[in-house]
Amino acid sequence: MIPQGDDGATLELTVTEVTKGSSADLSQLKDADKYKGYTPVYVQYTMTGTDSSADLGGDVLDDVDPITSDGRKASTLVIIGTSPFAKCDRNSVPDDFGPGDTETTCDVAMVQGGQEVSGAQYSPYDGDYADDGAIVWTK
């Protein structure tokens, strides 16, 4: 279980797939030229609701990121508004997400050309799971 939101609510989370896309996928982005030399990475995961998750509707879960073969977090790709990536079009918790409810969703990040991806991690910027406390899934 991972914490989500400011009120101590939790979700169960399972990473199901980590795949590299094509650098051409980034051509859809505004100012696409600044992403030359990068490749998108899609982290697919399943969220499962808990007794406390109903209040999280609409929250964005953006702390699930790919990690490179040297154990570093891949570069975050922040998308404001609707995602242009068909493989990864949303990552928010559905409204009224109760115990046992499931939702498959995705986060997208980037790696520099040639970097290999070894898995994914849940690591928010602060709290118990930041830095050395990250939850890691490996391929």
Side-chain angles (χ1 to χ4, degrees):
M1 289 212 219
I2 61 164
Q4 180 65 18
D6 296 329
D7 60 357
T10 61
L11 295 169
E12 290 183 28
L13 186 129
T14 303
V15 172
T16 56
E17 187 175 15
V18 179
T19 56
K20 285 175 83 171
S22 164
S23 58
D25 294 350
L26 299 173
S27 67
Q28 305 171 62
L29 300 175
K30 183 179 178 182
D31 300 327
D33 286 345
K34 71 180 182 180
Y35 301 106
K36 284 188 180 194
Y38 286 91
T39 301
V41 178
Y42 304 100
V43 179
Q44 303 281 348
Y45 55 93
T46 300
M47 298 182 289
T48 302
T50 66
D51 289 339
S52 61
S53 64
D55 296 332
L56 298 174
D59 280 11
V60 174
L61 183 60
D62 58 1
D63 297 318
V64 182
D65 299 295
I67 52 175
T68 59
S69 57
D70 62 1
R72 294 179 191 217
K73 182 176 131 179
S75 298
T76 301
L77 181 59
V78 177
I79 299 171
I80 298 172
T82 304
S83 173
F85 299 101
K87 293 181 184 178
C88 203
D89 62 354
R90 61 182 233 157
N91 63 343
S92 60
V93 178
D95 291 334
D96 298 323
F97 196 60
D101 291 347
T102 61
E103 178 78 13
T104 299
T105 189
C106 182
D107 272 349
V108 62
M110 303 179 298
V111 293
Q112 289 187 330
Q115 279 186 312
E116 291 301 315
V117 177
S118 64
Q121 70 179 16
Y122 169 75
S123 178
Y125 291 106
D126 59 4
D128 293 341
Y129 296 95
D131 302 323
D132 294 336
I135 297 172
V136 177
W137 294 267
T138 56
K139 288 183 174 185

